Amino acid sequence: MTEPTAKPNAQAGSQSAIEANGNKPSNAPQGTVSDAQYPMTDAQEDDSAVVFDKAALLALFTVDSAVDTAHTVTSQVQTDASTDKDSVAAQRLALYRAQHERTRLLYMAPANTRPTYLVQTLKSQFVEYQQYLLAQQLDKRGLMDTDGLERLWQQLHVVDDIIADIVRHMPAQQPAGWQLTTQDGRNPLCFATIGRLKNTKPIFDQGSLNSYVLGHFGVSSFTYDRGYYIGHVVGYLFSCYFCAHLSISYSVTALAPEVVADYDYASLETPHMLRLLQGLDGYCKKRIYQLAVICARLSVFASDKRIERMLIAEVNDFDKKLQQQHLDVLLLQGLMPDSNDSTPLF
């Protein structure tokens, strides 16, 4: 296990991260980023002056806290919702606001207050880590690269290193929205789920490594058979690299403006998307790719494939040709072995 190479600076790149989520710092150039994505209430304005300590910031990222926060924020809007569609839309909006506020508090925190290598602390709540432990327990034949994967999980702090580096290098950008669909309507990126699901398991906010990573660049969720991401273009690029590395068939389209009402984001046509990507330098793209590959190797999708290989190995744990020869000999003799005969039939 290697030691962390560098501690992320609480202020370095924080402006870009907040801008990607929709907040415009007072010294940001006019027209560069949008204003806050939702109007702040008096209570929120008072809360913004409160200094969070390290434990309080950490609590914002734990699954229990995230679930309680989402429940508190959405309870009122769910009561007022008249239809299931309205309820899902209200829950999605509340989730995005909670995700945005959590990221804002993290990046506005002083350097001595911001949790160091947060991702390593949260590891046990990620579905990717839980699925890895399951695969490790099932691997009775040593088919899985346990040493390599264990080393990667032990060095998970590099995820925070790369995120901090990307945030320092990514240009300011107004949040844009994308809709992601993948094969069989599944949720390989493990976005937080809302509403009815077609073919996937529920996932809590901050319950996956990918949702943690993308939370630094924007907001995200998954409903029925598609994912939604609003934020910086680096999150879009991460999702593309992730799916491509795992050979997952996917499609990304601009998120229509009316999909998430009362949330400020741009719906971009292909030429505008191209300009955004051209605004990223080669170094930043390479770091995003490295981050996506790490997450892909540790993904639930990859662990499921390893478990499938274990299943196939269990089915085929004997020499089939040899068993066919034994069977042919028995049939030629016109005899079947008695109960005391140890000759294997299958």
Side-chain angles (χ1 to χ4, degrees):
M1 174 178 175
T2 63
E3 293 299 321
T5 55
K7 293 185 178 181
N9 190 317
Q11 300 302 325
S14 61
Q15 177 175 322
S16 295
I18 296 171
E19 288 171 354
N21 279 278
N23 252 355
K24 179 167 62 178
S26 58
N27 60 347
Q30 294 295 324
T32 303
V33 293
S34 67
D35 291 324
Q37 290 178 326
Y38 57 94
M40 295 183 69
T41 63
D42 293 338
Q44 288 173 320
E45 289 175 351
D46 293 340
D47 289 343
S48 65
V50 176
V51 178
F52 279 70
D53 60 17
K54 188 171 295 187
L57 285 173
L58 178 61
L60 292 175
F61 286 83
T62 60
V63 165
D64 289 342
S65 175
V67 173
D68 291 343
T69 300
H71 175 75
T72 300
V73 175
T74 59
S75 59
Q76 182 60 45
V77 293
Q78 286 183 15
T79 301
D80 297 337
S82 58
T83 66
D84 181 64
K85 182 178 179 181
D86 291 339
S87 177
V88 170
Q91 291 178 60
R92 184 183 296 119
L93 178 61
L95 174 65
Y96 290 174
R97 289 177 173 177
Q99 290 176 344
H100 170 260
E101 180 65 5
R102 179 174 57 227
T103 303
R104 187 189 71 82
L105 291 171
L106 176 67
Y107 278 93
M108 293 301 292
N112 61 344
T113 303
R114 188 178 177 190
T116 304
Y117 294 106
L118 180 60
V119 68
Q120 191 70 261
T121 306
L122 301 175
K123 177 175 68 175
S124 61
Q125 74 185 30
F126 295 152
V127 291
E128 294 92 343
Y129 186 64
Q130 296 163 11
Q131 195 70 358
Y132 159 72
L133 293 179
L134 174 61
Q136 189 180 48
Q137 294 171 2
L138 294 172
D139 187 24
K140 305 301 183 182
R141 299 179 181 274
L143 301 177
M144 192 171 74
D145 179 19
T146 304
D147 292 341
L149 290 170
E150 182 64 27
R151 189 181 310 113
L152 193 53
W153 278 113
Q154 290 176 353
Q155 297 176 342
L156 197 61
H157 56 262
V158 300
V159 167
D160 277 340
D161 283 336
I162 297 175
I163 289 173
D165 199 18
I166 292 171
V167 169
R168 283 192 294 268
H169 286 85
M170 68 187 195
Q173 177 213 308
Q174 180 181 359
W178 292 278
Q179 177 178 285
L180 299 93
T181 55
T182 59
Q183 58 192 35
D184 302 325
R186 295 185 181 274
N187 182 19
L189 282 156
C190 293
F191 291 157
T193 54
I194 293 177
R196 193 160 63 95
L197 303 173
K198 178 182 179 181
N199 197 13
T200 190
K201 295 179 180 179
I203 297 177
F204 290 124
D205 184 28
Q206 290 297 301
S208 74
L209 176 60
N210 281 349
S211 66
Y212 169 83
V213 168
L214 289 172
H216 289 267
F217 310 125
V219 296
S220 61
S221 67
F222 187 93
T223 299
Y224 192 61
D225 64 349
R226 61 200 59 201
Y228 304 94
Y229 168 78
I230 299 174
H232 200 282
V233 71
V234 300
Y236 160 87
L237 205 54
F238 170 89
S239 301
C240 293
Y241 287 150
F242 176 91
C243 292
H245 185 77
L246 293 171
S247 300
I248 298 173
S249 299
Y250 70 97
S251 172
V252 183
T253 56
L255 187 63
E258 68 276 6
V259 174
V260 186
D262 300 322
Y263 200 85
D264 186 25
Y265 65 94
S267 181
L268 303 179
E269 299 296 334
T270 303
H272 298 289
M273 269 294 304
L274 177 58
R275 289 195 183 98
L276 283 182
L277 292 174
Q278 290 172 339
L280 294 176
D281 60 30
Y283 176 81
C284 191
K285 291 178 182 177
K286 292 172 184 176
R287 294 296 269 170
I288 297 166
Y289 178 74
Q290 292 171 357
L291 183 61
V293 169
I294 291 174
C295 293
R297 290 177 178 176
L298 299 178
S299 66
V300 171
F301 185 90
S303 290
D304 286 345
K305 290 298 181 182
R306 296 181 188 108
I307 293 174
E308 287 177 10
R309 288 195 291 271
M310 296 175 199
L311 177 63
I312 294 172
E314 286 300 323
V315 172
N316 301 312
D317 69 337
F318 56 85
D319 188 331
K320 292 183 178 179
K321 289 186 177 180
L322 180 60
Q323 295 307 309
Q324 290 180 38
Q325 292 172 4
H326 286 319
L327 179 61
D328 290 340
V329 170
L330 293 173
L331 293 174
L332 285 173
Q333 294 175 348
L335 299 172
M336 294 299 290
D338 58 34
S339 59
N340 295 324
D341 194 333
S342 61
T343 304
L345 284 177
F346 303 101

